Amino acid sequence: MTEVNSPPRAGGWTRFVTARPGLTLLAALVLTVLAVLAGSGVADRLGSGGWEDPDAQSTYATKALEREFPESQPNLLLLVDSGGASVDTPAVRAEAARLTARLAAEKGIVGVGSYWEADASTAPALRAKDGHEALIAARITGDEKTMGETLDRIAPSYRGEQGPVKVRIGGIVAVRHEMQTTIQEDLTRAELIALPITLVLLVMVFGSAVAALLPLGIGIVAILGTNAVLSGLTAFTDVSVFAMNLTTALGLGLAIDYALFIVRRFREELSTGAEPLGAIATTLRTAGRTVLFSALTVAVSLAAMLVFPQYFLRSFAYAGMAVVLLAAAAALILLPAALVLLGDRVNALDLRRAFRGRPKASGTERTGEGGRGWARTADLVMRRAPFFALATTAVLVLLGLPFLGVRFGTADDRQLPSSAESHVVQQHIRDGFPGSPGGGLEVLAEGKATEAQYSAYKARVAALPEVVQVDGPLVKGDAAYFTVQPEGEAVGDAAQHLVGDLRALKAPFDTKVTGTAAVLVDSKHAIGAQLPWAGAFVAVVTLLLVFLLTGSVLIPLQAVLLNALSLTAMFGAVVWVFQDGHLSGLLGFTSPGSIETTLPVLMFCVAFGLSMDYGVFLLSRIKEEYDATGDHERAVRLGLRRTGGLITAAAVILAVVMVAIGTSRVTNTKMLGLGIALAVLMDAMVIRSLLVPAIMRLTGRATWWAPAPLRGFHARFGLSEGDENPPGGAGNWATGHDGPADTHGDGSPDASGGLREVQRAG
């Protein structure tokens, strides 16, 4: 590291961000205000669907039926409860007729029908088994935003007591609209939970209130910028409302993590006597480059979702990549400007003095004795490397075994809390009505056909073993449709098998099959077809990036395999808790008995990227220690000692944000938040502290091997995250080595060593 009496020369980037720090912060304030304005009301422009493949047969058939036979695709259901009376009493019939006529006259409503007007073949499915409830069905036209506005307009005049009956509102439009509103409310609550807890943790890490507020401020800027990014994306593509939760969590969590590393490094430079500008120059060359590289690894994992056709996944890729880069930009542009203006005042308002008195002028953070706990852990693990490698791997594989029993399904009303009105309606239909109204399969028939041909086809469909009932056809011009009721649940194995049978059945006209089970079958096929490409993209780019960082052939392979292994606990917990329903009472959700098809893909991409995020900091420090000493075991020991505490603190903060997201009342959001929080903690506290040092001890010096051509390639194109090593072996903090001793070459404090050591470094 550069001596104090010879401050580092500010490079181009440092000059850019610190030339006029006040003007930079003023411009940031103006942009933040504009972001607030641009992002206001963004939730109303987000979609609540996106799980289906837009090019699938089921999607084509659904759109054609919506256009030609709107009554075949009801998305609004009025559950009419007659109390103790029968739905067939004259008073109930009269009120139901009045409600049906009113609904048919509403603007934007088509295809209105009810139990009381249905023919003998369909009426039984619209009447509850106990005779006290029946359904009025209709279709709201328009896009998602228009349908939501129509529902808001008409719902108050139909909901509740209506003469002798009580009306509840359900259907897919009501479910999605209520889900969108719930997510928006839950996100606000999550932010209110996460921000104060995060501030307390940052104060514990830094001590100084000023230093603690800086990462939090960067996080808030990232959140506001996130909303503006999402708002802008909606002008070009569909964006899922679920993306709002994850991108806010990533924006806050990663911005705080990145700021944590930068503020930590800056304070260390000041402690050596460096001037603020020189301290920032060194910080950006070391911690700043690490942050940039880390953001790139997360963005690469999120980019893998672009290969999937569902806009639910693609929206996370667009929004997630933008937010990760936004968080890094805020940490690398705004934070240096603020630090230059603050200078030594970054250490002001030490809130820990009230508990332990005035801190000593020198301590473990000055002598390099911090992090001894992590060093002892590394020594213990490497002495018994085979045991720790096998035991840790066995435990992680065991935790992941429940995922072998995963059952994939679709998102439905059970994503909402049991008290939600649309959930109540659908649950009444599942429990109290014969069959599954709205849950059958529809067969679209296109092309001229005679009545005899339709009848013959209907007979062949009815003869299929999974079919309970066939209704139709309803003919309009050269198109017709049949409704097929499968055995069992709407998305059960029998229904999914029936989709294949119907599509294979020959007919004298073109047929397309849709319905809930058909959408699920097509979604599973689309994900299965693209999953190898997404996995290959993540693996290849990650291997390349880690090679550019380390110059090793083996370390990139280890990084990919260990990162994947770190996710086993998350996937096992997702199935055991959310599919099988364990802890559902404690966590407050209704288990649908399946996992939505796209969720594992999303969780893998996010969690894998975050695991690489922390892996970068550990591997880069080990690499620099090895370059300085040539001692493999010592490099692993010092790498863990000097990053373990800081990585753990960063992981805990990110986990707090994800757990706050996991308090959502929507099951998929709860699963996403809690699952990723578990993955982050497992990676930081198990993989990085136990498995990585054990594996690297077993592979020994071969860890760093690369063939001559690749060594030459790395020498020319490899990524350097720190200063060039000066004579004497002095290195840098963020990713470089610290010389042969346990202190930095310039005497700066230790970078990590447990939360307590990180706290003392404040």
Side-chain angles (χ1 to χ4, degrees), residues 371-402:
R372 286 178 293 182
W374 289 102
R376 287 194 294 268
T377 297
D379 289 338
L380 174 63
V381 170
M382 287 191 289
R383 281 198 305 271
R384 295 173 174 82
F387 169 78
F388 278 100
L390 291 175
T392 304
T393 301
V395 170
L396 290 172
V397 171
L398 183 64
L399 291 175
L401 287 179

Side-chain angles (χ1 to χ4, degrees), residues 456-492:
Y457 177 77
K458 181 177 180 178
R460 289 199 298 273
V461 171
L464 294 174
E466 301 92 354
V467 174
V468 174
Q469 179 179 333
V470 183
D471 295 316
L474 182 62
V475 182
K476 183 182 292 185
D478 292 339
Y481 83 92
F482 300 82
T483 300
V484 183
Q485 186 64 46
E487 290 181 344
E489 298 181 4
V491 291

Side-chain angles (χ1 to χ4, degrees), residues 616-634:
V616 163
F617 290 100
L618 176 59
L619 291 175
S620 58
R621 176 54 66 97
I622 292 174
K623 171 68 164 63
E624 293 295 335
E625 296 290 352
Y626 180 74
D627 287 346
T629 65
D631 188 330
H632 175 70
E633 291 188 23
R634 183 175 185 275

